[in-house]
Amino acid sequence: MERTFIAIKPDGVQRKLIGEIIRRFEAKGFTLVGLKMMSVPRELAEKHYEVHQEKAFFPGLVKFITSGPLVAMVWEGDGVVSSARKIIGATNPLTAEPGTIRGDFGVSVGRNLIHGSDAIETAAKEISLWFTPEELVSWDSAMAPWLYE
Ligand code: UDP
């Protein structure tokens, strides 16, 4: 079953949106298989965003991600990688569609509340960067027959 890495960034934690964000993924029908709240070490933040290391916003981004607690999660379900990106919305909350997390709760790109892996391969890399195999819990949701034909 497909898995994706989702992180509620420090602004989402500070704004007390953890429950609201988890609710949206649960209500959609995805299954939570990994969850931890943590302070992010600088090296982890830099590694996670290494594709952006030459960008002007990189130092500010690393500072932001390491500025307070973050909630790291792994969600599971058919098509969860691309579906999660739709639930999250466009990178800039001001242009993200209403109904998406960023569209409903954000106003600026540097405080866009949540991260979601952008492809299946990226998801696998990010999950192994943020979680050990022992931290992930495989379980069968009793709702599965009511979600999948
Ligand atoms: N970001 C930023 N300023 C920018 C562009 C991006 O602070 O001008 C941050 C923002 O937090 C974004 C992250 O860098 O979520 C990664 O950017 P990416 O383009 O990969 O967007 P995402 O996949 O998160 O939508």
Side-chain angles (χ1 to χ4, degrees):
M1 187 72 94
E2 192 173 308
R3 289 178 171 181
T4 195
F5 173 70
I6 301 290
I8 303 172
K9 297 177 180 180
D11 53 337
V13 174
Q14 291 289 347
R15 292 188 48 207
K16 311 285 172 87
L17 289 170
I18 297 171
E20 169 68 27
I21 288 170
I22 288 178
R23 190 196 65 76
R24 290 184 178 213
F25 286 96
E26 281 194 326
K28 172 70 175 167
F30 294 129
T31 298
L32 186 61
V33 296
L35 173 71
K36 60 183 174 183
M37 186 178 209
M38 59 192 287
S39 297
V40 182
R42 163 177 280 274
E43 304 71 50
L44 176 56
E46 287 174 349
K47 178 88 185 139
H48 175 77
Y49 282 121
E50 70 183 358
V51 294
H52 295 304
Q53 63 192 356
E54 305 304 328
K55 309 263 173 64
F57 63 79
F58 183 76
L61 177 58
V62 170
K63 193 169 174 210
F64 164 55
I65 292 296
T66 56
S67 67
L70 167 152
V71 174
M73 300 183 280
V74 178
W75 286 87
E76 185 178 88
D78 277 356
V80 67
V81 174
S82 67
S83 180
R85 294 280 293 185
K86 289 188 190 133
I87 290 168
I88 289 168
T91 305
N92 184 346
L94 274 187
T95 54
E97 292 293 330
T100 65
I101 292 167
R102 288 168 173 167
D104 285 350
F105 300 114
V107 287
S108 82
V109 70
R111 298 287 183 271
N112 65 1
L113 301 157
I114 179 166
H115 167 83
S117 307
D118 63 4
I120 290 175
E121 311 77 67
T122 325
K125 265 170 63 179
E126 292 178 351
I127 290 167
S128 63
L129 179 66
W130 288 82
F131 286 88
T132 64
E134 300 74 40
E135 287 175 319
L136 300 177
V137 182
S138 295
W139 59 289
D140 293 320
S141 166
M143 269 208 259
W146 304 103
L147 289 162
Y148 296 102
E149 186 178 348

